[in-house]
PDB file of all heavy atoms in Angstrom:
ATOM      1  N   MET A 136     -50.926  40.254-123.759  1.00 83.00           N
ATOM      2  CA  MET A 136     -50.161  39.021-123.989  1.00 83.00           C
ATOM      3  C   MET A 136     -48.931  38.961-123.089  1.00 83.00           C
ATOM      4  O   MET A 136     -48.537  37.886-122.631  1.00 83.00           O
ATOM      5  CB  MET A 136     -49.780  38.921-125.463  1.00 83.00           C
ATOM      6  CG  MET A 136     -50.986  38.626-126.350  1.00 83.00           C
ATOM      7  SD  MET A 136     -50.596  38.414-128.088  1.00 83.00           S
ATOM      8  CE  MET A 136     -49.741  36.825-128.050  1.00 83.00           C
ATOM      9  N   VAL A 137     -48.340  40.126-122.816  1.00 87.00           N
ATOM     10  CA  VAL A 137     -47.218  40.162-121.872  1.00 87.00           C
ATOM     11  C   VAL A 137     -47.707  39.798-120.475  1.00 87.00           C
ATOM     12  O   VAL A 137     -47.061  39.029-119.749  1.00 87.00           O
ATOM     13  CB  VAL A 137     -46.558  41.558-121.874  1.00 87.00           C
ATOM     14  CG1 VAL A 137     -45.629  41.719-120.670  1.00 87.00           C
ATOM     15  CG2 VAL A 137     -45.768  41.763-123.162  1.00 87.00           C
ATOM     16  N   HIS A 138     -48.868  40.325-120.094  1.00 85.00           N
ATOM     17  CA  HIS A 138     -49.447  40.006-118.776  1.00 85.00           C
ATOM     18  C   HIS A 138     -49.719  38.505-118.654  1.00 85.00           C
ATOM     19  O   HIS A 138     -49.389  37.879-117.625  1.00 85.00           O
ATOM     20  CB  HIS A 138     -50.742  40.788-118.573  1.00 85.00           C
ATOM     21  CG  HIS A 138     -51.456  40.465-117.312  1.00 85.00           C
ATOM     22  ND1 HIS A 138     -50.981  40.840-116.060  1.00 85.00           N
ATOM     23  CD2 HIS A 138     -52.607  39.767-117.076  1.00 85.00           C
ATOM     24  CE1 HIS A 138     -51.812  40.399-115.126  1.00 85.00           C
ATOM     25  NE2 HIS A 138     -52.804  39.750-115.719  1.00 85.00           N
ATOM     26  N   ALA A 139     -50.301  37.922-119.714  1.00 82.00           N
ATOM     27  CA  ALA A 139     -50.580  36.483-119.702  1.00 82.00           C
ATOM     28  C   ALA A 139     -49.288  35.680-119.628  1.00 82.00           C
ATOM     29  O   ALA A 139     -49.210  34.654-118.933  1.00 82.00           O
ATOM     30  CB  ALA A 139     -51.364  36.100-120.951  1.00 82.00           C
ATOM     31  N   GLY A 140     -48.258  36.144-120.324  1.00 83.00           N
ATOM     32  CA  GLY A 140     -46.967  35.460-120.294  1.00 83.00           C
ATOM     33  C   GLY A 140     -46.311  35.517-118.934  1.00 83.00           C
ATOM     34  O   GLY A 140     -45.715  34.532-118.476  1.00 83.00           O
ATOM     35  N   GLU A 141     -46.449  36.656-118.259  1.00 83.00           N
ATOM     36  CA  GLU A 141     -45.883  36.773-116.908  1.00 83.00           C
ATOM     37  C   GLU A 141     -46.623  35.866-115.927  1.00 83.00           C
ATOM     38  O   GLU A 141     -45.998  35.257-115.054  1.00 83.00           O
ATOM     39  CB  GLU A 141     -45.974  38.239-116.438  1.00 83.00           C
ATOM     40  CG  GLU A 141     -44.954  39.156-117.101  1.00 83.00           C
ATOM     41  CD  GLU A 141     -45.021  40.576-116.557  1.00 83.00           C
ATOM     42  OE1 GLU A 141     -46.138  41.129-116.501  1.00 83.00           O
ATOM     43  OE2 GLU A 141     -43.979  41.129-116.195  1.00 83.00           O
ATOM     44  N   GLN A 142     -47.937  35.788-116.075  1.00 77.00           N
ATOM     45  CA  GLN A 142     -48.730  34.970-115.158  1.00 77.00           C
ATOM     46  C   GLN A 142     -48.454  33.478-115.337  1.00 77.00           C
ATOM     47  O   GLN A 142     -48.444  32.719-114.368  1.00 77.00           O
ATOM     48  CB  GLN A 142     -50.223  35.240-115.392  1.00 77.00           C
ATOM     49  CG  GLN A 142     -50.666  36.641-115.033  1.00 77.00           C
ATOM     50  CD  GLN A 142     -50.557  36.937-113.550  1.00 77.00           C
ATOM     51  OE1 GLN A 142     -50.906  36.112-112.722  1.00 77.00           O
ATOM     52  NE2 GLN A 142     -50.057  38.116-113.206  1.00 77.00           N
ATOM     53  N   SER A 143     -48.223  33.067-116.586  1.00 75.00           N
ATOM     54  CA  SER A 143     -48.019  31.641-116.868  1.00 75.00           C
ATOM     55  C   SER A 143     -46.547  31.230-116.889  1.00 75.00           C
ATOM     56  O   SER A 143     -46.232  30.045-117.035  1.00 75.00           O
ATOM     57  CB  SER A 143     -48.656  31.295-118.222  1.00 75.00           C
ATOM     58  OG  SER A 143     -48.050  32.040-119.260  1.00 75.00           O
ATOM     59  N   GLY A 144     -45.643  32.206-116.773  1.00 78.00           N
ATOM     60  CA  GLY A 144     -44.212  31.899-116.803  1.00 78.00           C
ATOM     61  C   GLY A 144     -43.686  31.632-118.203  1.00 78.00           C
ATOM     62  O   GLY A 144     -42.624  31.036-118.374  1.00 78.00           O
ATOM     63  N   THR A 145     -44.433  32.082-119.240  1.00 82.00           N
ATOM     64  CA  THR A 145     -44.007  31.875-120.633  1.00 82.00           C
ATOM     65  C   THR A 145     -43.872  33.221-121.338  1.00 82.00           C
ATOM     66  O   THR A 145     -44.367  33.415-122.453  1.00 82.00           O
ATOM     67  CB  THR A 145     -45.026  30.995-121.376  1.00 82.00           C
ATOM     68  OG1 THR A 145     -46.323  31.625-121.307  1.00 82.00           O
ATOM     69  CG2 THR A 145     -45.104  29.613-120.761  1.00 82.00           C
ATOM     70  N   LEU A 146     -43.198  34.161-120.692  1.00 85.00           N
ATOM     71  CA  LEU A 146     -43.075  35.514-121.236  1.00 85.00           C
ATOM     72  C   LEU A 146     -42.347  35.517-122.578  1.00 85.00           C
ATOM     73  O   LEU A 146     -42.728  36.236-123.499  1.00 85.00           O
ATOM     74  CB  LEU A 146     -42.351  36.418-120.234  1.00 85.00           C
ATOM     75  CG  LEU A 146     -42.170  37.889-120.648  1.00 85.00           C
ATOM     76  CD1 LEU A 146     -43.525  38.524-120.962  1.00 85.00           C
ATOM     77  CD2 LEU A 146     -41.447  38.670-119.566  1.00 85.00           C
ATOM     78  N   SER A 149     -44.696  34.394-125.236  1.00 85.00           N
ATOM     79  CA  SER A 149     -45.719  35.409-125.476  1.00 85.00           C
ATOM     80  C   SER A 149     -45.163  36.554-126.312  1.00 85.00           C
ATOM     81  O   SER A 149     -45.839  37.067-127.214  1.00 85.00           O
ATOM     82  CB  SER A 149     -46.252  35.953-124.149  1.00 85.00           C
ATOM     83  OG  SER A 149     -46.936  34.949-123.432  1.00 85.00           O
ATOM     84  N   ASN A 283     -54.148  31.752-127.509  1.00 85.00           N
ATOM     85  CA  ASN A 283     -52.957  30.904-127.351  1.00 85.00           C
ATOM     86  C   ASN A 283     -52.074  31.372-126.202  1.00 85.00           C
ATOM     87  O   ASN A 283     -51.394  30.562-125.557  1.00 85.00           O
ATOM     88  CB  ASN A 283     -52.138  30.891-128.645  1.00 85.00           C
ATOM     89  CG  ASN A 283     -52.515  29.728-129.542  1.00 85.00           C
ATOM     90  OD1 ASN A 283     -52.853  28.643-129.068  1.00 85.00           O
ATOM     91  ND2 ASN A 283     -52.471  29.941-130.845  1.00 85.00           N
ATOM     92  N   ALA A 284     -52.076  32.690-125.958  1.00 80.00           N
ATOM     93  CA  ALA A 284     -51.248  33.239-124.872  1.00 80.00           C
ATOM     94  C   ALA A 284     -51.871  33.012-123.500  1.00 80.00           C
ATOM     95  O   ALA A 284     -51.230  33.287-122.480  1.00 80.00           O
ATOM     96  CB  ALA A 284     -51.020  34.733-125.100  1.00 80.00           C
ATOM     97  N   GLY A 285     -53.110  32.543-123.474  1.00 82.00           N
ATOM     98  CA  GLY A 285     -53.756  32.271-122.187  1.00 82.00           C
ATOM     99  C   GLY A 285     -54.704  33.348-121.723  1.00 82.00           C
ATOM    100  O   GLY A 285     -55.207  33.300-120.594  1.00 82.00           O
TER     101      GLY A 285
END
Side-chain angles (χ1 to χ4, degrees):
M136 289 183 71
V137 166
H138 176 71
E141 285 183 310
Q142 294 294 317
S143 61
T145 57
L146 181 57
S149 295
N283 267 326

